[in-house]
Amino acid sequence: QQQVKQSPQSLIVQKGGISIINCAYENTAFDYFPWYQQFPGKGPALLIAIRPDVSEKKEGRFTISFNKSAKQFSLHIMDSQPGDSATYFCAARGEAAGNKLTFGGGTRVLVKP
Amino acid sequence: DAGVIQSPRHEVTEMGQEVTLRCKPISGHNSLFWYRQTMMRGLELLIYFNNNVPIDDSGMPEDRFSAKMPNASFSTLKIQPSEPRDSAVYFCASSLVPAYNEQFFGPGTRLTVL
């Protein structure tokens, strides 16, 4: 059972454009929502994370928007650069699950120069 | 800090053979995770340990898979016997308990079962 649904599966954006990736979850017990970035041949690495007590978190060109009532959260990459080309995974964790993260299916982002 | 170390980086084996993947977590981390990544199923958690104790192995696909963590600095994931459908990239990750701490992933082991 997929508890975190991620869309789109792939995304092509021009350099300087905005990349938007969406995730929806079902389990209302989730209380921590990280995004991981993965380059080809590498393991995923934490990009940015949010707790549900805030609706937005920004770090540089990366912003998470969180809508608790809709059980949705999204990643916005502003001024997308070719170096941002990677696969992005959203994830969620609930206290009852201990340290366990449930990952979305991933979005492959290609930024064209 | 060397990060999470996995070996081997690539493994090619024939169906029916035993495969052992190894992981050294970041020193001081007390949670360790094994993930499997495929195009079809994405990133799946197989098992995780806290303080060397298996906490959740509900993601282990079947009895052919087993994982051990004999001490805080070493873990193994064993597949016996291996099957072609086990072909995937296997990642090990480590973090600090309590939760909300970043999981640091290793570079992965690409397993091909012929």
Side-chain angles (χ1 to χ4, degrees):
Chain A
Q1 178 185 2
Q2 185 182 10
Q3 297 189 50
V4 179
K5 295 183 178 181
Q6 183 172 346
S7 63
Q9 286 187 310
S10 62
L11 181 61
I12 299 174
V13 62
Q14 292 296 127
K15 179 182 175 182
I18 302 174
S19 303
I20 302 175
I21 306 169
N22 300 299
C23 284
Y25 62 96
E26 300 167 0
N27 187 346
T28 55
F30 286 150
D31 60 358
Y32 172 66
F33 303 89
W35 285 86
Y36 279 75
Q37 179 188 54
Q38 184 181 27
F39 293 105
K42 305 291 186 182
L46 180 66
L47 181 65
I48 186 173
I50 196 169
R51 299 285 300 275
D53 51 346
V54 296
S55 60
E56 185 176 283
K57 183 174 182 179
K58 183 176 181 180
E59 291 185 2
R61 296 183 294 106
F62 300 90
T63 299
I64 300 177
S65 297
F66 185 82
N67 185 330
K68 187 174 181 178
S69 61
K71 293 186 287 184
Q72 295 176 347
F73 58 111
S74 61
L75 176 70
H76 295 232
I77 306 174
M78 311 299 289
D79 187 25
S80 297
Q81 299 296 312
D84 298 330
S85 296
T87 299
Y88 294 81
F89 294 92
C90 63
R93 193 211 81 104
E95 183 175 357
N99 282 8
K100 179 178 178 178
L101 289 175
T102 299
F103 282 88
T107 298
R108 182 171 293 185
V109 175
L110 175 63
V111 182
K112 289 192 169 184
Chain B
D1 192 342
V4 175
I5 298 173
Q6 291 187 248
S7 64
R9 292 294 312 276
H10 302 273
E11 177 80 33
V12 180
T13 191
E14 293 189 347
M15 185 174 72
Q17 296 298 305
E18 177 180 295
V19 174
T20 299
L21 311 182
R22 297 172 175 79
C23 175
K24 177 179 171 56
I26 292 173
S27 177
H29 283 188
N30 48 12
S31 283
L32 183 138
F33 308 81
W34 282 101
Y35 290 91
R36 178 173 67 177
Q37 186 174 39
T38 62
M39 289 294 293
M40 289 297 295
R41 300 178 65 88
L43 195 60
E44 302 174 277
L45 177 67
L46 300 177
I47 185 172
Y48 84 93
F49 298 81
N50 278 356
N51 298 312
N52 312 338
V53 176
I55 301 301
D56 185 342
D57 65 354
S58 59
M60 296 287 263
E62 48 198 276
D63 292 345
R64 297 185 297 107
F65 286 69
S66 62
K68 293 182 180 180
M69 192 163 186
N71 57 62
S73 59
F74 183 66
S75 178
T76 60
L77 178 67
K78 185 176 294 186
I79 308 173
Q80 166 64 14
S82 58
E83 296 182 3
R85 59 191 169 119
D86 301 330
S87 297
V89 180
Y90 291 81
F91 289 103
C92 175
S94 70
S95 73
L96 279 169
V97 178
Y100 313 124
N101 285 307
E102 177 180 355
Q103 289 187 20
F104 291 82
F105 283 74
T109 294
R110 181 174 294 277
L111 174 64
T112 302
V113 183
L114 303 176

